[in-house]
Amino acid sequence: MSRHSTSLSPEYFSGVYADDPDPWRFATSDYEREKYATTLASLPRDRYASVLEVGCSIGVLTRQLAGRCQQLTALDVVPAVLASAQSRCAALDHVRFQIASVPGEWPDGHFDLILLSEVIYYLDCADLARLVARVEGSLLPGGDVVLVHYLGETDYPLSGDEAADGFIERASAFAKLEDQSRQDGYRLDVLRRIGFEAASS
């Protein structure tokens, strides 16, 4: 299977969702249900003040993550998908949604948890470096970053291991790897910000 050589565009994802409103079966898959449970169990704290979820899709994990924080900002690139997520989380007034194609677009503010679940391997190496810079600029002192990535073969620019290892290596100046595990079909990495001051955004 040949890989895309550059970051996947918003149009790529619009096309995927045009054919199926839940192409990865986030709402119905036992695999996704188990992965979400493991992701939430991996969070080092019971509650966070301000969380950023990059790539929220239809909001299944968003709704669960909302129970662990005071404020949650969820991003995606497809308006119709974001509308589905908003509907799923309509009763949660501490959750806000934003159209954003990272790393070129990024929300204002600082966060004590940034979740990058199944998103980094959609980027090429140059955009991965820009993503790390975005995270550095918005992660609070002592804040956590959680990476989750599928390990199977895809046509994405990076493999799951390349995405996670590349992020960890590039972020090593400001974030330390705290936990790492390989589950059935995916890997999960938890990093924590080191140092005393958050970089300006």
Side-chain angles (χ1 to χ4, degrees), residues 105-122:
E105 299 169 310
W106 195 258
D108 295 331
H110 290 84
F111 308 93
D112 55 357
L113 172 65
I114 298 177
L115 176 62
L116 297 158
S117 179
E118 312 286 6
V119 294
I120 299 177
Y121 45 34
Y122 298 142

Side-chain angles (χ1 to χ4, degrees), residues 8 21 30 59 74 78 84 92 101 116 155 161-162 170 174 180 187:
L8 301 184
D30 289 339
V78 182
S84 295
L92 304 173
S101 178
L116 297 158
D155 64 350
D161 282 326
E162 288 169 342
R170 288 168 174 81
F174 68 92
Q180 186 176 71
R187 65 179 282 177

Side-chain angles (χ1 to χ4, degrees), residues 122-137:
Y122 298 142
L123 305 178
D124 58 29
C125 289
D127 276 342
L128 170 55
R130 286 189 279 270
L131 174 67
V132 171
R134 290 289 202 181
V135 170
E136 182 179 12

